[in-house]
Amino acid sequence: MSATSLLALAQQAPPADHEVVTSFEQVVLVALVFVIMFGLGAGLTPRDFASALRRPWGLIIGWVTQFGIMPLLAFLLVLGLVLRLPSDYAAPVALGALLMGSVPAGTTSNIFTFFSKGNLALSVMMTTNSTLWALVMTPLALHLYGTRFMPAGSELQIPMTNVIVTLVIMLVPVALAMVIRRYSPNVGAVMELMGGAFGLFFIVFLMVTWVPRNWMLLAGTPWQVYLVAVGLGLFGISVAYLMARAVRLHPVNARTVGLETGIQNGPLAVAIVVLTFADSPDLGLVLLVPALYSLFIVIVGAFVTVRFRRANLAEEQEIPSLL
């Protein structure tokens, strides 16, 4: 693709006042996630969390893959694909890709963990753990891999509001649902079913609202950027899952580690980009990979979930206890 064509694409990328997700959609998505976590939490008990803490290998492996493997994977994808594009276009896109690989897991990973029959208690604990650690590890990873792409004078800003919102919409409904399930098992069972139904609606809602509004952007983006946006999630899930199995984690926990690692917090990445590069003319290009990743991780997560459910059924039957 010529430099002139890429200049035209840069003009199509989300501008500074562009909303990857509209304000109304943000409210709807937050409400949906809150309801979904409320429903999923109805299937959890304190014993589930205690079991995950007694066998902390899932948390440990997940931390290593989250902040060790994902930033490295993003860097390798940038080297192999993005840097082959003209430098004025490649540098800001590469920065967005590296940031996407350095943020923590998002609450969407909890939804896919539920559908893949993973360890939901471990998933919630891993999301909480990685979100808190991100305050230190995300700037460190970006400093390690992305310094060469940072505009002069820019300083990474992690929005505390987004971090707090992530923790609140995940932990509060789970805790409330566990209390209700404790005193009314029948109501809790109904809530769990509703959580699964809303989870499916959440996935469809994202795809239906985002794709039509950004069709021109999707049609004009170079294939290399697509491979980075899709590959980051797909390879992240696969590598983390294989590492977890290599250290003999139970398939239930390995699936959880894989999904928690590969499904990053897209909204947090977008917020960091907007805060850090609000005055940069390259803001749209830095947003490109986080925006595309946020769309395609839903598709990748759905595909991987189906594969996990099929491929691990026989293995689960052979290994009766969590390791």
Side-chain angles (χ1 to χ4, degrees), residues 67 98-105 129-143 150 154-167 265-278:
F67 296 113
L98 291 170
L99 176 62
M100 195 67 249
S102 303
V103 294
N129 187 49
S130 67
T131 300
L132 293 173
W133 270 102
L135 298 173
V136 175
M137 297 306 298
T138 295
L140 181 61
L142 202 62
H143 177 75
M150 288 284 287
S154 295
E155 184 177 348
L156 189 68
Q157 301 182 53
I158 298 182
M160 285 301 300
T161 300
N162 291 67
V163 173
I164 294 172
V165 167
T166 297
L167 296 175
N265 193 329
L268 178 60
V270 170
I272 292 174
V273 170
V274 172
L275 282 176
T276 304
F277 306 102

Side-chain angles (χ1 to χ4, degrees), residues 108-176:
T108 310
S109 61
N110 308 137
I111 300 171
F112 283 114
T113 295
F114 172 80
F115 286 126
S116 70
K117 296 186 181 297
N119 186 337
L120 186 57
L122 175 60
S123 178
V124 171
M125 293 175 65
M126 287 181 65
T127 303
T128 303
N129 187 49
S130 67
T131 300
L132 293 173
W133 270 102
L135 298 173
V136 175
M137 297 306 298
T138 295
L140 181 61
L142 202 62
H143 177 75
L144 179 63
Y145 294 109
T147 301
R148 60 185 286 194
F149 304 114
M150 288 284 287
S154 295
E155 184 177 348
L156 189 68
Q157 301 182 53
I158 298 182
M160 285 301 300
T161 300
N162 291 67
V163 173
I164 294 172
V165 167
T166 297
L167 296 175
V168 168
I169 65 175
M170 179 177 58
L171 298 179
V172 171
V174 168
L176 290 175

Side-chain angles (χ1 to χ4, degrees), residues 16-84:
D17 59 352
H18 177 84
E19 291 183 291
V20 177
V21 179
T22 66
S23 299
F24 172 74
E25 289 169 354
Q26 289 177 20
V27 173
V28 173
L29 290 174
V30 169
L32 277 175
V33 171
F34 192 93
V35 172
I36 291 166
M37 294 309 298
F38 193 84
L40 302 187
L44 295 172
T45 66
R47 183 180 299 177
D48 296 323
F49 292 97
S51 177
L53 286 174
R54 285 197 303 270
R55 301 176 177 89
W57 282 111
L59 286 170
I60 295 171
I61 296 299
W63 188 92
V64 172
T65 55
Q66 182 71 65
F67 296 113
I69 298 302
M70 286 300 287
L72 176 60
L73 178 58
F75 182 67
L76 294 176
L77 287 170
V78 163
L79 288 181
L81 295 169
V82 177
L83 294 188
R84 297 177 182 272

